[in-house]
Amino acid sequence: MRKSQIFNYQDGKLHAESADLHAIARQVGTPCYVYSRTAIEAAWLEYDDAFNDRMHEVFYAVKANDNLSIIKTLHLLGSSFDVVSIGELLRVLDVGVDASRVVFSGVGKSVQEISRAIKLDVGTINIESLEEFERIEAVTNELGMSVNVAVRVNPDVDPKTHPYISTGLKNNKFGVPIEDALELYKRIATSRWITATGIACHIGSQIVDVEPILEAVKQIVLLASGLEALGIKIKTIDVGGGLGISYKDEQPPKISSFVSALLGAVPANFKIALEPGRSIVGHTGILLTRVELVKQTAYSRFVIVDAAMNDLLRPSLYSAWHDIVTCDEKSADEIEGASLCDVVGPVCETGDTLATGRKLSVLEGDLIGVLDAGAYGAVMGSNYNARLKCAEVLVQNDSFEIIKARQSFEDMVKIEREYLIPE
Ligand code: LLP
């Protein structure tokens, strides 16, 4: 679903699907995240359908949005899950997912995490280094339990995305340099409890050009045939995260074209695994926030809102662009005539800026929305400035449900009060 279909004006009021965002803000308060269930389902199905009858598995990357109801929505569709911590694994299991449907990635899994994941019978562990292999081997020897693994290779391919979210270059901390992978697979083959079933790769996030991904896949396919020549048979090629989305003017290909390119690049005897996060939930979420004050100085016009960098960190951390929309429809003339504003939060940092230089016709008390906030939004939230974590809402058609209550002050301080130092 296009975002203009998800978030649309009806009788001059912005709706998510057919639910009035003003009504949600009145009932739930602001700031709050609102997600469209229909759009989340459509995005996941777009991936799954595009594979037709080719062997595949779509693992939703839980890090993008780990709300239990969102995980459950995808579980009900038949999704598998990519997790990067024991916490994410437990979240997924909490809504009834079978551990065999989970791939455990991440560059620094602790001994405890590895041991617990193996005891829980996790589907696959993606190994990120020789050192990690040795750690996993020690754990399996001690437990006397087996585990399937894939080696995450680092193909040294430039994904042409923001440097903070680029992961497949040789100087990045991720994966095993592809030239060292063969030796590692040979070591794994000698291991009593560890079976290599796949090769994995993830070169970065917010990728809108599939060429670098195809380049990485080419190298993986070569590696797989090198392994086969040694008698090591790989079943799955995991190409990592999904496509980027359009925040401003990026033009990612359609999910179906991306998947057909993958089908062309991976021989049919391999199962293809994908770990999309952003493209499943990113465009399906809005951060609703109310204008506290409009502060005009001789130099700038600040729209000070009740959401801040602790609610949505992306603009502060990556200078990321998010479109800002008003929840009351404005005419083209009103927008044209509006002054340029910076949308800022109440946190005591200049970096607490959600958007700069936007034409916005708004007044104190108005409700506005930050678009494309469904991925890496609420999950990256914090309590900075002792601000409470946002409520989250899931919409379907014209109805909505709270899927995460706003944090209370009591919730926030409980784990400190219990440990308060004595007089
Ligand atoms: N698989 C692995 C191993 C990953 O590291 C990631 C994302 C994904 C899958 C999902 O990638 P996606 O389909 O979402 O592109 N906080 C940043 C994004 C960090 C992404 C980290 N890894 C942001 O707000 O842009």
Side-chain angles (χ1 to χ4, degrees):
M1 274 171 87
R2 285 195 315 275
K3 62 184 155 187
S4 56
Q5 289 173 283
I6 309 169
F7 300 105
N8 58 87
Y9 291 103
Q10 293 171 28
D11 297 326
K13 303 284 177 203
L14 192 65
H15 285 59
E17 300 193 27
S18 308
D20 181 357
L21 290 169
H22 283 279
I24 294 177
R26 270 196 306 273
Q27 189 169 322
V28 181
T30 53
C32 81
Y33 280 95
V34 180
Y35 313 110
S36 153
R37 180 168 183 174
T38 309
I40 294 170
E41 292 176 340
W44 190 89
L45 288 169
E46 205 175 333
Y47 273 109
D48 197 49
D49 291 347
F51 283 96
N52 289 316
D53 51 5
R54 277 286 290 274
M55 272 188 296
H56 71 280
E57 194 162 353
V58 181
F59 296 82
Y60 167 65
V62 172
K63 65 174 81 63
N65 188 321
D66 66 10
N67 185 290
L68 292 183
S69 293
I70 294 208
I71 296 174
K72 187 163 177 189
T73 297
L74 293 166
H75 169 50
L76 294 175
L77 286 186
S79 186
S80 296
F81 295 89
D82 164 57
V83 304
V84 289
S85 68
I86 202 70
E88 285 190 354
L89 175 57
L90 295 177
R91 277 184 172 270
V92 163
L93 301 184
D94 212 54
V95 302
V97 175
D98 195 295
S100 65
R101 303 289 302 274
V102 179
V103 57
F104 188 4
S105 314
V107 73
K109 305 173 201 82
S110 70
V111 169
Q112 291 76 8
E113 286 182 305
I114 293 167
S115 166
R116 186 127 184 233
I118 294 174
K119 286 189 207 149
L120 288 167
D121 221 3
V122 72
T124 312
I125 296 185
N126 283 352
I127 297 184
E128 297 244 7
S129 60
L130 170 65
E131 294 80 357
E132 189 181 49
F133 160 69
E134 289 172 344
R135 176 174 276 197
I136 296 173
E137 189 170 45
V139 172
T140 54
N141 285 342
E142 200 183 313
L143 294 176
M145 292 178 79
S146 56
V147 67
N148 290 334
V149 299
V151 174
R152 173 174 176 181
V153 296
N154 182 326
D156 192 24
V157 170
D158 184 357
K160 302 188 194 116
T161 184
H162 192 288
Y164 285 14
I165 49 175
S166 145
T167 52
L169 286 166
K170 60 175 182 273
N171 58 353
N172 296 144
K173 69 178 173 181
F174 299 97
V176 173
I178 194 150
E179 62 276 16
D180 301 340
L182 207 99
E183 281 309 308
L184 180 52
Y185 276 98
K186 283 202 227 161
R187 285 273 308 267
I188 297 172
T190 66
S191 167
R192 172 152 181 221
W193 302 103
I194 307 182
T195 310
T197 52
I199 304 176
C201 176
H202 168 76
I203 60 168
S205 193
Q206 184 51 13
I207 298 178
V208 290
D209 173 5
V210 295
E211 277 313 313
I213 302 180
L214 295 180
E215 171 53 35
V217 169
K218 205 160 100 189
Q219 295 191 39
I220 293 178
V221 171
L222 264 177
L223 172 63
S225 39
L227 291 172
E228 182 146 20
L230 294 172
I232 302 171
K233 213 159 162 29
I234 292 303
K235 295 187 198 126
T236 304
I237 290 183
D238 176 347
V239 304
L243 282 174
I245 61 172
S246 179
Y247 288 98
K248 190 181 182 188
D249 48 14
E250 305 90 328
Q251 293 187 320
K254 283 170 110 172
I255 288 175
S256 54
S257 327
F258 170 50
V259 172
S260 359
L262 292 177
L263 295 182
V266 178
N269 52 320
F270 294 105
K271 174 161 127 183
I272 304 178
L274 254 185
E275 304 167 356
R278 190 190 310 267
S279 48
I280 303 282
V281 287
H283 63 298
T284 73
I286 191 169
L287 173 61
L288 280 186
T289 178
R290 212 171 271 289
V291 177
E292 289 290 354
L293 293 165
V294 179
K295 172 174 172 177
Q296 181 71 59
T297 72
Y299 312 101
S300 307
R301 186 172 173 84
F302 294 107
V303 174
I304 307 175
V305 296
D306 63 6
M309 64 189 290
N310 74 294
D311 303 303
L312 180 67
L313 185 60
R314 303 193 73 258
S316 310
L317 188 58
Y318 314 114
S319 303
W321 174 284
H322 284 260
D323 276 335
I324 307 284
V325 290
T326 54
C327 292
D328 292 285
E329 192 169 18
K330 305 287 171 182
S331 67
D333 284 349
E334 279 174 300
I335 298 171
E336 198 41 48
S339 341
L340 290 177
C341 313
D342 289 354
V343 182
V344 300
V347 161
C348 301
E349 297 217 21
T350 300
D352 181 27
T353 298
L354 294 169
T356 47
R358 307 295 174 88
K359 280 203 157 173
L360 280 178
S361 153
V362 289
L363 298 170
E364 187 176 320
D366 281 0
L367 189 64
I368 67 175
V370 185
L371 288 183
D372 302 305
Y376 308 111
V379 272
M380 290 170 72
S382 76
N383 284 125
Y384 189 38
N385 278 203
R387 289 170 50 84
L388 304 173
K389 290 207 190 154
C390 273
E392 293 173 62
V393 169
L394 189 62
V395 162
Q396 190 169 29
N397 302 320
D398 58 359
S399 60
F400 67 89
E401 301 201 50
I402 296 176
I403 55 170
K404 183 173 182 180
R406 187 176 310 284
Q407 191 181 31
S408 68
F409 176 76
E410 293 303 317
D411 287 341
M412 185 173 64
V413 296
K414 204 167 85 189
I415 50 177
E416 292 163 56
R417 266 208 195 125
E418 283 170 22
Y419 299 95
L420 192 61
I421 55 166
E423 302 276 306

